[in-house]
CSV table of all heavy atoms in Angstrom, one decimal:
chain,number,residue,atom,x,y,z
A,238,PRO,N,17.0,-26.8,1.3
A,238,PRO,CA,16.5,-26.5,0.0
A,238,PRO,C,16.1,-25.0,-0.2
A,238,PRO,O,15.5,-24.5,0.7
A,238,PRO,CB,15.4,-27.4,-0.4
A,238,PRO,CG,14.8,-27.8,1.0
A,238,PRO,CD,16.0,-27.7,2.0
A,384,ASP,N,8.1,2.2,4.4
A,384,ASP,CA,8.9,2.1,5.6
A,384,ASP,C,9.0,0.7,6.1
A,384,ASP,O,10.1,0.3,6.7
A,384,ASP,CB,8.2,3.0,6.7
A,384,ASP,CG,8.7,4.4,6.8
A,384,ASP,OD1,9.4,4.7,5.7
A,384,ASP,OD2,8.5,5.1,7.7
A,411,PHE,N,17.7,9.2,9.5
A,411,PHE,CA,18.5,8.6,10.7
A,411,PHE,C,18.2,9.4,11.9
A,411,PHE,O,18.0,8.9,13.0
A,411,PHE,CB,19.9,8.7,10.2
A,411,PHE,CG,20.9,8.2,11.4
A,411,PHE,CD1,21.2,6.9,11.6
A,411,PHE,CD2,21.4,9.2,12.2
A,411,PHE,CE1,22.1,6.5,12.6
A,411,PHE,CE2,22.3,8.8,13.3
A,411,PHE,CZ,22.6,7.5,13.4
A,605,GLY,N,-27.0,32.1,-31.7
A,605,GLY,CA,-26.1,32.6,-32.8
A,605,GLY,C,-25.7,34.0,-32.7
A,605,GLY,O,-26.4,34.8,-32.1
A,647,VAL,N,-14.2,18.5,-28.4
A,647,VAL,CA,-14.4,19.0,-27.0
A,647,VAL,C,-13.2,18.8,-26.2
A,647,VAL,O,-12.6,17.9,-26.2
A,647,VAL,CB,-15.6,18.3,-26.3
A,647,VAL,CG1,-15.8,18.8,-24.9
A,647,VAL,CG2,-16.9,18.6,-27.1
Side-chain angles (χ1 to χ4, degrees):
D384 271 11
F411 174 87
V647 174

